Amino acid sequence: MSDHFIVMAKRGRMVMLTIFSLVFVALGIIILLVPFNEPVLPTVIGILAILVFGLCFLYYVKALAKREPAVMITKEGIIDNSSYIRAGLVKWEEIEAIDFLNFSGQVFLGIFTYDSELIINRSSGIKRVFNRLNKGLLPSQVNIPFKNLDCSAEELMNAIGERWDTALKEESKKE
């Protein structure tokens, strides 16, 4: 077993998400340009679409240019760099459970931590807001969209299981 199991993001999916983000930014601009009788709600929707999908677009362009691993399974824990609100390193001793979760027809690798506020407390600014919103959608603290990962569920769970077991054994030796 090597020290790191590296999972890259699916390049084709990243390109598709970049294009979708750009389309929604364009729709937000169109909404702002169309005259409405009651302009308040369309203006808010247009601005939110531009801001949210603009951030998504920038994130995906940067991710495509940098081409870094989306997820790394190491002897220290799981490093999540799969999205804008990435959790970073979640240490094995912070993890209570790991499971696949379904939400809105999408499968996520859900990481449950002992501290339900762990990821929120580590983040700041807009990432903190997004992590708080994310917490309201799924019960796990870290949610990695599995469709974006370029590996099978079996490979991923085997890598997690091997390294988690090793970390638990090393921890019990220290005690």
Side-chain angles (χ1 to χ4, degrees):
M1 175 182 76
S2 68
D3 280 352
H4 299 338
F5 179 79
I6 296 172
V7 182
M8 300 301 287
K10 289 181 181 171
R11 192 164 182 77
R13 184 147 171 87
M14 295 289 283
V15 169
M16 179 191 70
L17 291 170
T18 304
I19 293 167
F20 280 152
S21 297
L22 189 58
V23 166
F24 280 105
V25 168
L27 287 173
I29 292 169
I30 290 169
I31 290 170
L32 288 179
L33 296 176
V34 172
F36 289 94
N37 292 336
E38 292 291 325
V40 176
L41 185 60
T43 300
V44 169
I45 291 171
I47 290 170
L48 283 174
I50 292 167
L51 288 174
V52 171
F53 291 104
L55 282 174
C56 292
F57 175 76
L58 292 174
Y59 169 78
Y60 290 124
V61 167
K62 182 180 169 188
L64 282 166
K66 274 190 159 184
R67 201 69 183 130
E68 294 177 340
V71 175
M72 287 177 49
I73 315 299
T74 70
K75 62 183 181 179
E76 289 84 27
I78 299 174
I79 302 171
D80 168 32
N81 291 319
S82 64
S83 68
Y84 176 72
I85 60 170
R86 61 184 157 255
L89 174 63
V90 183
K91 296 179 180 177
W92 294 120
E93 57 267 17
E94 297 170 327
I95 299 173
E96 183 176 10
I98 298 172
D99 200 1
F100 285 103
L101 307 169
N102 287 299
F103 179 74
S104 293
Q106 189 168 352
V107 177
F108 292 87
L109 177 68
I111 301 172
F112 298 83
T113 59
Y114 290 106
D115 177 2
S116 64
E117 298 288 318
L118 179 74
I119 305 306
I120 293 169
N121 292 338
R122 286 186 185 172
S123 54
S124 60
I126 193 73
K127 287 184 184 183
R128 180 177 276 226
V129 172
F130 286 147
N131 274 313
R132 193 166 297 286
L133 291 171
N134 199 29
K135 184 180 178 198
L137 298 175
L138 288 165
S140 50
Q141 287 69 54
V142 180
N143 300 297
I144 301 169
F146 184 71
K147 265 193 217 179
N148 295 356
L149 303 180
D150 199 12
C151 73
S152 73
E154 185 178 351
E155 287 176 305
L156 182 61
M157 292 310 284
N158 284 343
I160 289 171
E162 288 172 6
R163 285 157 186 82
W164 200 359
D165 287 344
T166 302
L168 289 174
K169 288 174 187 170
E170 286 180 13
E171 189 62 32
S172 65
K173 286 179 187 177
K174 291 178 186 176
E175 294 175 356

